[in-house]
Amino acid sequence: MNLKELSRHLNLSQTTVSRALNGYPEVSEATRKRVQEAAHALNYRPNARAKGLATGRAHAIGHVIPVSNQHEMVNPVFGDFIAGAGSTYAQRGYEIVISLVDDSQEEEAYRNLRTRGSVDGIIMHGPRMDDPRIPLLTELGLPFVVHGRASDINMPYSWLDMNNARAIRRATDFLLDLNHRRIALINGLEHMDFAHRRREGYLAALTDRGVTPDPELMRGEEMTEIYGYRSARDMLATDDPPTAFVVSSMMTAIGVRRAIHEIGRVMGRDVSVITHDDDLSYLKNGENIPIFTATRSSVRQAGVLAAEMLLRLIDDPGQEPQHRLLEAELIIGTSTGPAPTR
Amino acid sequence: MNLKELSRHLNLSQTTVSRALNGYPEVSEATRKRVQEAAHALNYRPNARAKGLATGRAHAIGHVIPVSNQHEMVNPVFGDFIAGAGSTYAQRGYEIVISLVDDSQEEEAYRNLRTRGSVDGIIMHGPRMDDPRIPLLTELGLPFVVHGRASDINMPYSWLDMNNARAIRRATDFLLDLNHRRIALINGLEHMDFAHRRREGYLAALTDRGVTPDPELMRGEEMTEIYGYRSARDMLATDDPPTAFVVSSMMTAIGVRRAIHEIGRVMGRDVSVITHDDDLSYLKNGENIPIFTATRSSVRQAGVLAAEMLLRLIDDPGQEPQHRLLEAELIIGTSTGPAPTR
DNA sequence: ACCGCCACCCAAAGCGCTTTGGGAGAGTTT
DNA sequence: AAACTCTCCCAAAGCGCTTTGGGTGGCGGT
């Protein structure tokens, strides 16, 4: 059932039917109703491609997610982010187009989305410190919102970020207040902007209290469980082990916990752990009593807000770039306690 | 830059340019080369919508993922599956369109994808026992592949599944061989087909050895960490606690482990745990020595294979429905050991 | 010299929608 | 009654491609 058939069926022109369905005023309410009913009854749905061709709008949003083939990883955070964004899109009738793209050919992917016209806007994931994608997207002229920021880029662009520096700073301060001085940082890959900022927050907290950061206590890798385990195990086996860990993700913190358990220590008593918690749906940080003391910020919510921001940008393109900085909440769990006195 | 401009630039007709670029034989190799070079130089890329309109093919695959709004969960397995499928699509120039859909309006979503013509085929996720989507998709006539199966549906359709029954049966047998008799099953939601089959495998293993299944030792919920923790904690606190757990996901097994630790028991010695492992990229089951004894089957690989199957179906639609049953591998880790003698 | 056959190329129609630029008829002013 | 003004509706062009149905010129065969 297409427009032509429907209009013939109604003894109306395609113009009128199209207008009736799209809410234009040049059609009487009586006919509009008649058209709508017929459309519903005959199960008519406009063809998306034709509509797109005619209007120049794809009614779709592109999410390009970098898949570094060395790691073969897809960020676990992505599922929840997209779920949040998706709920916003759904309300507005937008589709989600996902491109999984090898690091090496990201530029090509973005250009493709642009020139092939498959999307009206893009959400960019996983920005690095000096991310070339930002100037590229700006040049392409396609509306986009960055989930995160890029520290070394100072051209204007729209972003939505969590205050990583402050969150980790608070976390570190929390441990310092508990008299910890040997505090390890189990960070994400530090060419990623969020990880860089977290490190800055960690360092600032330490130096402000006159604690000299120890390179032996700082790591930055892909945030797997194994990585947390390995890092904690190694660090705890040294002569001067950390008494506390600041960890970049729940998944990794679980690995840290495993290492602590393995050597018969008790988390929260012998060794403290504080982690960032993205509030993932399948990995909630406990129920009433949180497992981990954590800085919490819902990535799902970030998805909702980023999508709203992008749709605003698409709706009127003349707008200034928009920004939104989310603050993490500090959740006190049972994984932290005063530094053990020797 | 569009076809018209490009062809004018080359002093050729649109027809010839189009044919040259799409590899039709009616054009001399000399002109073809000339056209290709110009296209590349001028950064020409055909408009996807126009191409789609003309050919009737969207060059996109739809993934409709159910988002039960009661749970507000997006399956963590999804990220890896889509990464696998995406690598296949990328090679063939297909895009991924994702619809996140509330359980209640799934039918509408599928009909939409069909009649709006945004995709050439669909991969269906999370089939339930008697899933109405299968007859619906068959009726719609859109090629589709189910990731999983639906036990109560006996019409033909294409699917790719893991042998859930056998995997869990092997897992249970493994524990029985170690002399465990009080074996708990921490399953997924049992209206999901995979969970149903796992339960069948578990029950078959027990009854074959003359062990009467105890309803107190069987649970089925959304596979979060918390759920694993809570279930194990409760069961271990009873008068006749299980000595072993069969768990449906790594995430949940981690929760089980937490409960075991919490009461000061040692996993693998006091309490055994065997889990299914989807081999998720960010949650690898250890490195050389697996943490958990597990039945392993890569969901990423499943994504690759399902995508290939679907593309075959799209390429020649006259084909019979295809099937593929993957077997899980049994990985021996340190989380299992002989049943403690009282 | 004629015919037929390739090899190459082209004009134009068509995919299913939106949108421009009217146009007919009823009602209102003057 | 003529001149406007609305209100509703329509025909046709256009979005950027593919594809149908030729056309043209060169070559070999008779």
Side-chain angles (χ1 to χ4, degrees):
Chain A
M1 172 61 55
N2 59 23
L3 230 210
K4 197 197 271 185
E5 289 164 32
L6 179 62
S7 59
R8 196 142 44 207
H9 178 87
L10 283 162
N11 269 322
L12 284 171
S13 73
Q14 293 192 36
T15 312
T16 305
V17 175
S18 168
R19 285 187 164 151
L21 292 174
N22 291 310
Y24 283 79
E26 298 94 333
V27 56
S28 74
E29 278 312 312
T31 17
R32 187 191 306 283
K33 197 164 181 196
R34 195 162 71 90
V35 171
Q36 280 169 341
E37 276 162 9
H40 189 78
L42 298 175
N43 235 309
Y44 167 77
R45 283 181 189 78
N47 178 294
R49 285 189 301 264
K51 191 164 187 159
L53 229 205
T55 56
R57 313 277 252 87
H59 261 265
I61 302 296
H63 285 249
V64 180
I65 56 178
V67 178
S68 69
N69 54 352
Q70 31 170 333
H71 300 291
E72 287 229 331
M73 281 232 348
V74 35
N75 195 325
V77 150
F78 182 68
D80 265 51
F81 184 91
I82 207 88
S87 69
T88 301
Y89 298 148
Q91 285 167 27
R92 296 278 306 272
Y94 277 78
E95 276 175 347
I96 307 173
V97 172
I98 291 195
S99 293
L100 291 141
V101 161
D102 190 284
D103 286 349
S104 62
Q105 51 199 36
E106 272 200 326
E107 173 163 348
E108 181 65 11
Y110 285 105
R111 284 195 189 280
N112 251 326
L113 281 179
R114 166 64 180 171
T115 47
R116 302 183 30 159
S118 6
V119 301
D120 297 328
I122 285 182
I123 293 210
M124 187 187 125
H125 296 270
R128 280 148 290 170
M129 295 286 295
D130 174 16
D131 205 307
R133 296 177 293 170
I134 292 175
L136 171 64
L137 280 170
T138 310
E139 176 206 326
L140 288 179
L142 203 59
F144 72 99
V145 167
V146 180
H147 178 209
R149 278 175 288 177
S151 298
D152 293 350
I153 299 245
N154 43 25
M155 63 203 301
Y157 61 91
S158 294
W159 51 260
L160 177 136
D161 199 3
M162 202 262 296
N163 197 337
N164 284 290
R166 183 178 302 172
I168 295 305
R169 189 189 170 130
R170 272 183 82 187
T172 312
D173 274 338
F174 184 82
L175 293 171
L176 287 164
D177 288 344
L178 288 168
N179 267 326
H180 291 277
R181 287 302 175 267
R182 295 286 291 162
I183 301 175
L185 174 66
I186 313 294
N187 204 359
L189 284 166
E190 289 183 349
H191 65 261
M192 300 298 286
D193 191 75
F194 80 92
H196 173 76
R197 287 178 193 271
R198 288 180 183 180
R199 176 182 229 202
E200 295 293 307
Y202 163 83
L203 291 177
L206 289 187
T207 49
D208 270 18
R209 301 273 187 118
V211 178
T212 322
D214 180 353
E216 295 298 314
L217 296 184
M218 292 154 56
R219 299 212 181 168
E221 284 179 33
E222 202 83 77
M223 302 182 290
T224 61
E225 197 265 0
I226 284 286
Y227 157 58
Y229 166 74
R230 220 186 309 121
S231 305
R233 183 196 58 196
D234 294 353
M235 288 183 185
L236 289 172
T238 59
D239 293 341
D240 191 8
T243 61
F245 289 87
V246 175
V247 188
S248 247
S249 87
M250 285 278 290
M251 205 68 251
T252 309
I254 286 174
V256 170
R257 181 179 72 191
R258 178 156 65 97
I260 294 170
H261 276 308
E262 198 180 71
I263 56 170
R265 306 284 176 80
V266 175
M267 183 171 77
R269 192 191 67 193
D270 307 323
V271 182
S272 287
V273 174
I274 187 165
T275 182
H276 182 69
D277 172 11
D278 292 298
D279 205 20
L280 302 181
S281 52
Y282 51 92
L283 186 50
K284 292 285 177 201
N285 186 7
E287 292 164 301
N288 310 320
I289 320 110
I291 309 163
F292 291 103
T293 298
T295 54
R296 176 185 296 165
S297 174
S298 161
V299 73
R300 186 193 186 97
Q301 178 64 6
V304 172
L305 296 173
E308 284 172 359
M309 185 182 285
L310 182 56
L311 292 183
R312 274 199 302 277
L313 248 36
I314 290 172
D315 285 343
D316 62 282
Q319 254 176 98
E320 292 295 298
Q322 306 199 358
H323 315 295
R324 180 80 180 259
L325 190 58
L326 305 172
E327 293 297 337
E329 196 182 353
L330 185 64
I331 307 285
I332 313 295
T334 58
S335 65
T336 45
T341 46
R342 314 206 188 193
Chain B
M1 173 60 57
N2 59 21
L3 228 211
K4 196 197 273 184
E5 290 163 32
L6 178 62
S7 58
R8 195 142 44 207
H9 178 87
L10 283 162
N11 269 322
L12 284 171
S13 74
Q14 293 192 37
T15 312
T16 306
V17 176
S18 168
R19 283 185 165 152
L21 293 174
N22 291 311
Y24 284 79
E26 299 94 334
V27 57
S28 75
E29 278 312 311
T31 15
R32 188 191 305 283
K33 198 165 179 198
R34 194 161 73 91
V35 170
Q36 281 169 340
E37 276 162 8
H40 189 77
L42 297 174
N43 235 308
Y44 167 77
R45 283 180 190 79
N47 179 294
R49 286 188 301 265
K51 191 164 188 159
L53 229 206
T55 56
R57 311 276 253 88
H59 263 264
I61 302 296
H63 285 250
V64 181
I65 57 176
V67 178
S68 69
N69 55 352
Q70 33 171 333
H71 300 290
E72 287 229 331
M73 282 234 348
V74 34
N75 195 325
V77 150
F78 182 68
D80 267 51
F81 184 91
I82 207 88
S87 68
T88 302
Y89 298 148
Q91 286 167 26
R92 295 279 305 271
Y94 277 78
E95 275 175 348
I96 307 174
V97 172
I98 292 196
S99 293
L100 291 142
V101 160
D102 191 283
D103 286 348
S104 62
Q105 49 199 35
E106 272 200 325
E107 171 163 350
E108 182 64 10
Y110 286 105
R111 284 195 188 280
N112 252 325
L113 281 179
R114 166 65 180 168
T115 48
R116 303 183 30 158
S118 6
V119 301
D120 297 328
I122 285 182
I123 293 212
M124 188 186 125
H125 296 269
R128 280 148 290 173
M129 296 285 296
D130 174 18
D131 205 307
R133 296 177 291 170
I134 292 174
L136 171 64
L137 280 170
T138 311
E139 177 206 325
L140 289 179
L142 203 59
F144 71 99
V145 167
V146 180
H147 179 210
R149 278 174 289 176
S151 300
D152 293 350
I153 300 246
N154 42 26
M155 62 203 299
Y157 62 92
S158 294
W159 52 259
L160 177 137
D161 199 4
M162 203 261 296
N163 197 337
N164 284 291
R166 183 179 301 171
I168 295 306
R169 189 189 170 128
R170 271 183 82 188
T172 312
D173 274 339
F174 184 83
L175 294 170
L176 287 164
D177 288 343
L178 288 167
N179 267 325
H180 291 276
R181 287 302 174 268
R182 294 286 292 163
I183 301 174
L185 174 67
I186 313 295
N187 204 359
L189 284 166
E190 290 184 349
H191 63 262
M192 300 298 285
D193 192 74
F194 79 92
H196 174 75
R197 288 179 193 270
R198 288 180 183 181
R199 176 182 226 197
E200 295 293 307
Y202 163 83
L203 292 176
L206 289 187
T207 47
D208 270 18
R209 301 274 186 117
V211 178
T212 321
D214 180 352
E216 295 297 315
L217 295 184
M218 292 155 54
R219 298 213 182 166
E221 284 180 33
E222 203 82 79
M223 302 182 290
T224 61
E225 197 267 358
I226 284 287
Y227 157 57
Y229 167 74
R230 219 186 309 119
S231 305
R233 183 196 59 195
D234 295 353
M235 288 182 185
L236 290 171
T238 59
D239 293 340
D240 191 9
T243 62
F245 289 87
V246 174
V247 188
S248 248
S249 87
M250 284 277 290
M251 204 69 252
T252 309
I254 287 173
V256 170
R257 181 179 73 191
R258 177 155 66 98
I260 294 171
H261 277 309
E262 198 179 72
I263 56 170
R265 306 284 177 80
V266 175
M267 182 173 77
R269 192 190 68 194
D270 307 323
V271 183
S272 287
V273 174
I274 187 166
T275 182
H276 182 68
D277 172 11
D278 291 299
D279 204 20
L280 301 182
S281 51
Y282 51 91
L283 186 49
K284 291 286 176 201
N285 186 7
E287 293 164 300
N288 310 320
I289 321 109
I291 309 163
F292 292 103
T293 299
T295 55
R296 176 184 297 166
S297 172
S298 161
V299 73
R300 186 193 185 96
Q301 178 64 5
V304 171
L305 296 173
E308 284 171 358
M309 185 182 284
L310 181 56
L311 292 183
R312 275 200 302 277
L313 248 37
I314 290 172
D315 285 343
D316 62 283
Q319 255 176 97
E320 292 295 297
Q322 307 199 357
H323 315 295
R324 180 80 180 260
L325 190 58
L326 305 172
E327 293 297 338
E329 195 183 353
L330 186 64
I331 306 286
I332 313 297
T334 58
S335 66
T336 45
T341 45
R342 312 208 189 193

